[in-house]
Amino acid sequence: VQLQASGGGLVQAGGSLRLSCAASGSIVSINAMGWYRQAPGKQRELVAVDSSYGSRNYADSVKGRFTISRDDAKNTVYLQMNSLKREDTGVYYCNAYILNSDNYYGGYWGQGTQVTVSS
C-alpha cells in the first residue's frame, strides 16, 4: 500500500492550494483519512481528518479556511486550502488507516508535499 501526495507549491498569502493524496495497492478498505503538517523546527500536527462515516475535524488554526474531502471510489483524500497564511507553511503529509489484503490494519503515511506561503 502506498500513499502519493501532490499539489503543494509556492503561493502568496491569501491564495489557495488544493492537495491530493491517492492510496494504491492491495487495499480492502480505508477508514479515516487525514492531513498533518510539520513546520520547520516544530512537531507534526493534525490539520484535518475525515472519518469513513462522515465526521470531519479540523485544527482550530484552519477552521473556516481549509476543507477536507474524500472520493472513496478513487481512494483519494483532498485538502482545499483557502486564505492561506504564512504560518500555514510546512510539509503536508497525508495519513490513512487501511486494511490490506494480508489482513493487516494500520496507519500509512504519504511522502509529504511542501507548501510555502509568502507574504
Side-chain angles (χ1 to χ4, degrees), residues 2 8 16 21 23 26 39-40 59 62 96 110:
Q2 291 185 329
S16 298
C21 177
S26 302
V62 306

Side-chain angles (χ1 to χ4, degrees), residues 101-119:
S101 59
D102 292 326
N103 209 34
Y104 168 78
Y105 178 77
Y108 292 83
W109 290 95
Q111 85 284 7
T113 184
Q114 176 71 44
V115 172
T116 303
V117 184
S118 64
S119 58

Side-chain angles (χ1 to χ4, degrees), residues 7-9 11 14-19 37 47 65-67 79-84 88 92 113 115 117:
V11 63
S16 298
L17 281 174
R18 188 192 194 207
L19 306 182
R37 68 185 178 190
V47 176
R65 300 187 297 121
F66 290 12
T67 302
L79 186 68
Q80 178 65 44
M81 306 186 293
N82 298 329
S83 302
L84 282 160
D88 294 319
Y92 284 67
T113 184
V115 172
V117 184

Side-chain angles (χ1 to χ4, degrees), residues 4-37:
Q4 182 68 43
S6 61
L10 174 64
V11 63
Q12 287 190 330
S16 298
L17 281 174
R18 188 192 194 207
L19 306 182
S20 300
C21 177
S24 62
S26 302
I27 298 169
V28 173
S29 62
I30 302 177
N31 195 348
M33 302 185 83
W35 291 94
Y36 291 72
R37 68 185 178 190

Side-chain angles (χ1 to χ4, degrees), residues 7-103:
L10 174 64
V11 63
Q12 287 190 330
S16 298
L17 281 174
R18 188 192 194 207
L19 306 182
S20 300
C21 177
S24 62
S26 302
I27 298 169
V28 173
S29 62
I30 302 177
N31 195 348
M33 302 185 83
W35 291 94
Y36 291 72
R37 68 185 178 190
Q38 188 166 17
K42 295 187 177 181
Q43 289 187 330
R44 191 173 299 188
E45 63 175 356
L46 175 67
V47 176
V49 61
D50 185 311
S51 71
S52 61
Y53 48 90
S55 174
R56 296 173 179 173
N57 290 285
Y58 298 90
D60 288 342
S61 60
V62 306
K63 284 181 180 177
R65 300 187 297 121
F66 290 12
T67 302
I68 189 171
S69 62
R70 61 193 286 172
D71 184 336
D72 289 332
K74 296 181 179 180
N75 292 335
T76 299
V77 62
Y78 305 96
L79 186 68
Q80 178 65 44
M81 306 186 293
N82 298 329
S83 302
L84 282 160
K85 304 176 181 179
R86 288 191 63 186
E87 51 264 42
D88 294 319
T89 294
V91 179
Y92 284 67
Y93 299 90
C94 57
N95 172 269
Y97 280 84
I98 296 173
L99 175 66
N100 69 19
S101 59
D102 292 326
N103 209 34

